[in-house]
Amino acid sequence: MKKRIITALTVLAGFAGLQQVNAQTTFGIRAGVNFQNITGDASNGSKMENKLKTGFNVGLNAEIPVAPDYFVQPGVLLSTKGAKLENDSKINLSYVEIPVNFLYKPALGAGKMLLGFGPYVGFGVGGKVELPNGNDVDIEFENEISGLSTTPTFKRMDAGANFLAGYEFSNKLSFQLNAQLGLAKINPKYTGPGTDESSYKNTGFGVSLGYRF
């Protein structure tokens, strides 16, 4: 009987703790500016020398407490990426991203410091290449290509790592610096004749503002 009572009390305490954690989950919005690039190797193996391109990100997230000052922060973002090429063309790629950050959020002054990192997965939803002559070309998404094509083609899926640092004020407004390191190749696999050593990856950083409800 004593063991049953202890077990029941333990279950009730765990349930109560779970309820308390759930009650502390918060939701927020975030939007900001991206400075993105596409880095890696060209088809002949040489390093690409692209330039940063300005874009934006906007989305929602949740903060789920897992320990004092520690949170899991899943979210959904619409994010634009790409690069400026040496011939003055621009690659514009739009992704729906799902980041899952591990967030450290201790009190600092009247607000809270923000430090976090975690993986993200992105799904390409559109894009185009802006040419210097004004004739834009829509981007296609394919995992493989079998030959040369005049249509710019990328893989639809992207993945990598996020890093963030910022500050949340007592009024729930916040700002943060974001950095992103693409770990997955976004160029399609080449299965045609000859060799192709292309390896494109998204990289970048940005600044964003947020608000927690």
Side-chain angles (χ1 to χ4, degrees):
M1 178 63 70
K2 185 177 180 180
K3 288 183 179 180
R4 291 180 180 178
I5 293 174
I6 293 174
T7 301
L9 290 175
T10 302
V11 171
L12 288 174
F15 181 76
L18 181 61
Q19 291 295 98
Q20 184 178 8
V21 167
N22 288 338
Q24 294 172 349
T25 298
T26 62
F27 298 89
I29 56 175
R30 181 161 295 281
V33 179
N34 291 337
F35 301 97
Q36 292 288 147
N37 202 350
I38 296 175
T39 60
D41 300 328
S43 58
N44 61 2
S46 63
K47 293 292 182 182
M48 294 190 296
E49 297 183 1
N50 299 330
K51 299 178 182 178
L52 291 173
K53 173 191 168 294
T54 303
F56 71 89
N57 65 83
V58 59
L60 308 171
N61 61 48
E63 288 184 2
I64 304 168
V66 294
D69 298 335
Y70 289 90
F71 299 80
V72 173
Q73 186 192 69
V76 178
L77 295 171
L78 175 62
S79 183
T80 59
K81 302 183 178 183
K84 292 182 180 180
L85 307 184
E86 292 181 276
N87 63 358
D88 293 329
S89 298
K90 293 181 182 179
I91 298 175
N92 301 298
L93 290 165
S94 298
Y95 291 91
V96 172
E97 291 186 349
I98 302 174
V100 181
N101 293 316
F102 300 94
L103 186 65
Y104 177 51
K105 194 175 174 181
L108 180 64
K112 295 182 178 181
M113 180 173 63
L114 304 173
L115 292 174
F117 69 95
Y120 76 87
V121 176
F123 302 89
V125 294
K128 64 181 179 179
V129 175
E130 297 180 14
L131 301 175
N133 60 11
N135 295 324
D136 298 346
V137 181
D138 289 336
I139 287 172
E140 294 185 354
F141 293 100
E142 299 287 348
N143 288 330
E144 293 185 2
I145 55 174
S146 58
L148 297 176
S149 173
T150 58
T151 302
T153 308
F154 290 82
K155 287 184 178 179
R156 189 175 295 276
M157 191 167 180
D158 182 27
N162 287 313
F163 305 90
L164 66 91
Y167 189 78
E168 183 180 295
F169 298 95
S170 58
N171 60 4
K172 302 302 182 181
L173 287 172
S174 65
F175 75 90
Q176 69 182 45
L177 303 176
N178 317 294
Q180 199 170 62
L181 178 63
L183 300 176
K185 289 172 58 174
I186 60 172
N187 56 295
K189 180 180 179 181
Y190 179 72
T191 59
T195 60
D196 185 351
E197 300 181 34
S198 301
S199 179
Y200 306 165
K201 296 180 181 180
N202 284 314
T203 60
F205 64 95
V207 181
S208 60
L209 300 175
Y211 181 77
R212 303 221 67 76
F213 297 101

